[in-house]
């Protein structure tokens, strides 16, 4: 029957768990090329490499056996990523031992050879295979005779037939990587968190320069751009200004004065904040502030703010944090210039029930290489709270990228003119920049979608016109 194999064998699948091959005449055309330095080269088929790769991927073991000891064989085996046994005087015995070590059933193993030294190992396996140009005795001993010559894709042909017999692998479950999502935090009548519109905060900070009219203009800028809130900074200068700086002389738009006098000159009090609260309500904006000391917390509580903001500089001010926690109000915690251990300690005091974090880097202005936006995900996973982004960069790109990475709120300093006098104006957005930021955030929210793959209505016409289906 085996003598008739070349005539009656059909290219049926070959169901085996391992494939062992000779090298010369199987991976090659059984010829060698020798250069003037005596270096030997052989001709192989690139398609064999893909076949072996598919074979390994389907779970089939592969081994190369060679009677000769030749660096060319070792090099090809390394390229294919399969083990090789060389310099074998008795292939049959070595094969028998290898099958026992690997725990393989010989009946479910294929061996492909081309010359009489392959007859021994071919007799050991259930699927002896020969190349078409093999020695007549080898073809006669083969259960399968390939149709493709060695060195021209014989190994690929065998691999394809073996892979065809393997059961179709179960499709791996689709791993949809989603961002961690946490319950939103209510700020007044607005929910801030995953799945909610991005809460955009125009930080006026100290850019009002102590001028209530300028503050109103900045509130107008935020409202017209589409922000949901404006934020200020509230200090008790006698507490917040370091002793060594209080008497330092500063040149200001109001003349020469000490640094303490300057800070007092630009600080808003009850009357100004009462008017700010009323004007923000008229413009449909939330307002709040970053208190820098405990008396400022008490002041803001008397003003009945909806939420408190912890500036990055205050992350380690545990006295301030305890005062904020005692209010029971939501807290937005900015994390610039802070280590994870410092943030851990702050969270221990504040709790996480009404906490929103803000990823920030406190460099003014922020260079792109220090933005480190993937920290947004780090903070979400570590603390289990909604995380936003507080930016100090020039331009819009980094803030917009933060939204695509899951920032639930975005805070940017705003100004009428970046050239105005004051420390924060240069890293602030002017009116047109803020308008474009809010516009682009809303576009990104729409574009992110829900992650469910579907054919959209706009695709139906081009699908009907362009889709080509073949079987």
């Amino acid at each position: 029957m085996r003598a008739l194999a070349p005539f009656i064998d059909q290219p049926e699948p070959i169901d085996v768990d391992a494939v062992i091959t000779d090298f010369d005449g199987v991976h090659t055309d059984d010829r060698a090329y020798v250069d003037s330095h005596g270096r030997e080269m052989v001709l192989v088929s690139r398609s064999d490499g893909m076949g072996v790769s598919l074979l390994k991927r389907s779970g089939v073991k592969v081994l190369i056996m060679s009677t000769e000891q030749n660096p060319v064989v070792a090099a090809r085996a390394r390229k294919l990523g399969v083990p090789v046994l060389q310099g074998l005087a008795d292939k049959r015995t070595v094969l028998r031992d290898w099958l026992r070590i690997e725990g393989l059933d010989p009946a479910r193993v294929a061996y492909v050879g081309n010359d009489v030294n392959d007859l021994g190992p071919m007799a050991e396996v259930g699927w002896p295979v020969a190349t078409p140009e093999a020695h007549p005795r080898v073809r006669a001993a083969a259960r399968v005779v390939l149709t493709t010559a060695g060195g021209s894709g014989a190994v690929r042909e065998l691999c394809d037939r073996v892979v065809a017999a393997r059961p179709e692998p179960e499709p791996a479950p689709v791993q949809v990587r989603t961002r961690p999502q946490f319950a939103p935090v209510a700020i007044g009548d607005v929910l801030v968190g995953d799945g909610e519109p991005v809460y955009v905060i125009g930080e006026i900070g100290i850019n009002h320069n102590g001028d209530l009219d300028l503050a109103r203009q900045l509130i107008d800028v935020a409202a017209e751009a589409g922000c949901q809130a404006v934020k200020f900074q509230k200090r008790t200068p006698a507490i917040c200004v370091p002793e060594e700086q209080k008497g330092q002389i500063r040149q200001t738009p109001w003349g020469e004065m000490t640094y303490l006098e300057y800070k007092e000159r630009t600080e808003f009090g009850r009357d100004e904040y009462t008017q700010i609260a009323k004007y923000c309500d008229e413009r449909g904006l939330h307002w709040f502030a970053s208190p820098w000391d405990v008396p400022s917390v008490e002041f803001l509580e008397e003003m009945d703010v909806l939420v408190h903001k912890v500036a990055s500089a205050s992350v380690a001010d545990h006295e301030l944090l305890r005062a904020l926690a005692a209010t029971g109000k939501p807290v937005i915690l900015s994390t610039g210039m802070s280590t994870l251990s410092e943030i851990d300690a702050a969270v221990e005091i504040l709790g996480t029930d009404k906490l929103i974090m803000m990823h920030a880097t406190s460099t003014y202005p922020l260079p792109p290489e220090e933005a480190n936006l993937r920290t947004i995900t780090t903070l979400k996973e570590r603390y289990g709270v909604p995380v936003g982004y507080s930016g100090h960069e020039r331009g819009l790109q980094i803030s917009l990228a933060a939204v695509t990475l899951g920032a639930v709120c975005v805070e940017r300093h705003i100004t009428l003119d970046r050239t105005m006098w004051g420390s924060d104006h240069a890293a602030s957005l002017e009116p047109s920049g803020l308008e474009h930021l809010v516009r682009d955030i809303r576009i990104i929210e729409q574009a992110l979608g829900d992650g469910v793959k579907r054919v959209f209505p706009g695709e139906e016409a081009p699908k009907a016109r362009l889709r080509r289906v073949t079987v």
Side-chain angles (χ1 to χ4, degrees):
M1 189 69 178
R2 287 185 175 179
L4 297 175
F7 307 104
I8 65 174
D9 185 59
Q10 299 297 318
E12 60 183 343
I14 298 173
D15 187 13
V16 295
D17 300 320
V19 169
I20 300 121
T21 74
D22 183 32
F23 188 75
D24 292 324
V26 176
H27 288 266
T28 77
D29 59 2
D30 212 19
R31 291 184 293 176
Y33 305 87
V34 182
D35 66 13
S36 59
H37 301 285
R39 291 175 299 203
E40 189 172 301
M41 293 176 289
V42 296
L43 181 69
V44 297
S45 171
R46 289 185 181 276
S47 68
D48 289 349
M50 177 56 71
V52 170
S53 177
L54 295 172
L55 209 59
K56 293 191 298 179
R57 196 178 305 167
S58 69
V60 176
K61 294 182 181 295
V62 185
L63 174 69
I64 295 175
M65 301 181 72
S66 178
T67 303
E68 294 187 19
Q69 183 79 34
N70 193 322
V72 173
V73 182
R76 182 59 176 164
R78 281 195 303 272
K79 178 74 172 178
L80 297 174
V82 300
V84 60
L85 300 175
Q86 295 191 73
L88 305 178
D90 184 357
K91 283 185 173 182
R92 186 171 191 169
T93 301
V94 173
L95 175 59
R96 190 182 297 142
D97 290 343
W98 185 80
L99 294 177
R100 186 176 66 255
I101 293 169
E102 295 292 330
L104 292 166
D105 178 1
R108 293 189 54 78
V109 174
Y111 181 98
V112 56
N114 76 308
D115 214 335
V116 292
N117 62 345
D118 294 312
L119 290 172
M122 288 173 70
E124 289 292 319
V125 300
W127 285 86
V129 180
T131 56
E133 73 286 0
H135 190 280
R137 289 176 57 193
V138 174
R139 292 202 306 273
R143 180 175 176 179
V144 172
V145 176
L146 300 172
T147 61
T148 310
S152 298
V155 174
R156 176 61 184 270
E157 179 187 337
L158 176 62
C159 292
D160 287 345
R161 293 176 66 174
V162 172
V163 169
R166 305 295 287 178
E168 285 291 328
E170 290 291 327
V174 177
Q175 298 293 325
V176 179
R177 187 172 181 179
T178 59
R179 301 188 186 107
Q181 296 209 348
F182 306 103
V185 174
I187 298 179
D189 58 350
V190 174
L191 293 178
V192 180
D194 297 303
E196 303 294 337
V198 174
Y199 188 70
V200 184
I201 306 163
E203 174 158 9
I204 295 173
I206 56 175
N207 280 354
H208 53 72
N209 290 347
D211 185 332
L212 187 57
D213 287 337
L214 179 54
R216 287 195 185 96
Q217 292 179 63
L218 290 170
I219 291 169
D220 288 337
V221 167
E224 289 162 13
C227 294
Q228 285 70 54
V230 290
K231 187 189 80 72
F232 295 84
Q233 296 179 20
K234 180 56 182 166
R235 293 174 172 84
T236 305
I239 296 174
C240 294
V241 176
E243 287 297 327
E244 66 275 11
Q245 295 183 24
K246 288 179 178 178
Q248 291 180 359
I249 301 300
R250 293 288 298 270
Q251 300 299 323
T252 76
W254 310 281
E256 186 177 273
M257 62 183 67
T258 66
Y259 186 59
L260 179 59
E261 290 171 333
Y262 155 67
K263 296 302 291 183
E264 289 172 340
R265 169 69 175 75
T266 57
E267 192 66 42
F268 283 158
R270 188 174 308 279
D271 181 58
E272 290 85 0
Y273 274 116
T274 299
Q275 295 184 60
I276 284 170
K278 182 176 183 295
Y279 195 63
C280 285
D281 185 59
E282 292 172 358
R283 296 305 318 256
L285 292 175
H286 294 163
W287 81 274
F288 55 94
S290 299
W292 286 62
D293 51 76
V294 172
S296 294
V297 176
E298 297 167 353
F299 174 88
L300 292 170
E301 278 295 284
E302 292 172 5
M303 299 300 302
D304 198 26
V305 294
L306 297 172
V307 60
H308 292 286
K309 170 77 186 297
V310 179
S312 293
S314 302
V315 169
D317 187 344
H318 292 179
E319 179 187 25
L320 176 68
L321 298 183
R322 285 190 292 270
L324 290 171
T327 69
K329 299 276 182 70
V331 174
I332 301 173
L333 175 67
S334 201
T335 59
M337 65 178 88
S338 302
T339 65
L340 285 176
S341 61
E342 290 171 331
I343 300 171
D344 287 345
V347 172
E348 184 69 24
I349 296 170
L350 295 171
T352 58
D353 288 345
K354 297 181 180 180
L355 181 64
I356 299 168
M357 278 192 182
M358 301 289 274
H359 168 58
T361 301
S362 300
T363 306
Y364 292 75
L366 172 71
E369 63 271 18
E370 293 186 13
N372 198 18
L373 291 180
R374 289 193 175 95
T375 304
I376 293 169
T377 302
T378 300
L379 295 175
K380 282 192 176 188
E381 292 175 345
R382 186 178 182 91
Y383 300 106
V385 299
V387 176
Y389 173 69
S390 180
H392 309 114
E393 71 273 11
R394 293 190 175 101
L396 308 180
Q397 299 95 329
I398 295 174
S399 293
L400 295 173
V403 173
T404 68
L405 288 173
V408 301
C409 53
V410 171
E411 175 187 76
R412 291 294 301 270
H413 288 266
I414 61 175
T415 182
L416 297 181
D417 186 337
R418 286 197 300 270
T419 64
M420 291 178 69
W421 188 89
S423 58
D424 290 346
H425 288 277
S428 300
L429 290 178
E430 294 177 339
S432 62
L434 182 64
E435 182 181 341
H436 291 158
L437 175 68
V438 177
R439 178 201 64 191
D440 292 349
I441 285 174
R442 301 307 172 210
I443 292 172
I444 289 170
E445 287 175 332
Q446 294 178 0
L448 286 173
D450 57 12
V452 177
K453 181 63 179 141
R454 61 172 69 85
V455 177
F456 284 92
E459 296 180 286
E460 294 294 353
K463 180 180 179 180
R465 186 174 69 254
L466 301 174
R467 173 60 54 83
R468 180 170 178 262
V469 180
T470 62
V471 294

